Amino acid sequence: MAERRAAPRYALVLTAEVVEPRSRAKLNARTSDISRTGCYLDTLNPMGTGMLLNLRLQHGDEVFTTKARVVYESPNMGMGVQFVDVPPDQMAILDRWFAEQDEF
């Protein structure tokens, strides 16, 4: 099976806060897999496919924020999200985290 991902993945565990903007429903999760284009969020209560979310990831004292869209969900396990319109300053944060991973 050919690799279809657009960007390399990193096994980087980050704390995540997800907020659905309309209802303001909030859930806490963690990443288990992340790239420049999206991530997988481990959570028992994934939000529905297609939902647009506000996402906040934390690594140490640094925070990455962006909008994200749920591209698939795995009931009672988690959801895959695609980052949407990531500002350049936020992408720089992700790139810095990935560079730290490459050093090991």
Side-chain angles (χ1 to χ4, degrees), residues 3-20:
E3 177 64 47
R4 297 181 349 199
R5 293 183 173 142
R9 295 276 169 164
Y10 295 85
L12 184 59
V13 177
L14 307 168
T15 57
E17 180 181 273
V18 180
V19 177
E20 194 282 314

Side-chain angles (χ1 to χ4, degrees), residues 30-52:
R30 68 179 186 159
T31 65
S32 58
D33 192 27
I34 185 168
S35 76
R36 293 182 100 238
T37 60
C39 66
Y40 186 80
L41 296 169
D42 294 320
T43 179
L44 293 175
N45 301 304
M47 295 186 174
T49 300
M51 291 186 80
L52 188 62

Side-chain angles (χ1 to χ4, degrees), residues 48-53 67-72 80-84:
T49 300
M51 291 186 80
L52 188 62
L53 311 168
K67 293 193 183 311
R69 183 171 312 281
V70 179
V71 292
Y72 69 92
V81 299
Q82 179 179 19
F83 302 147
V84 178

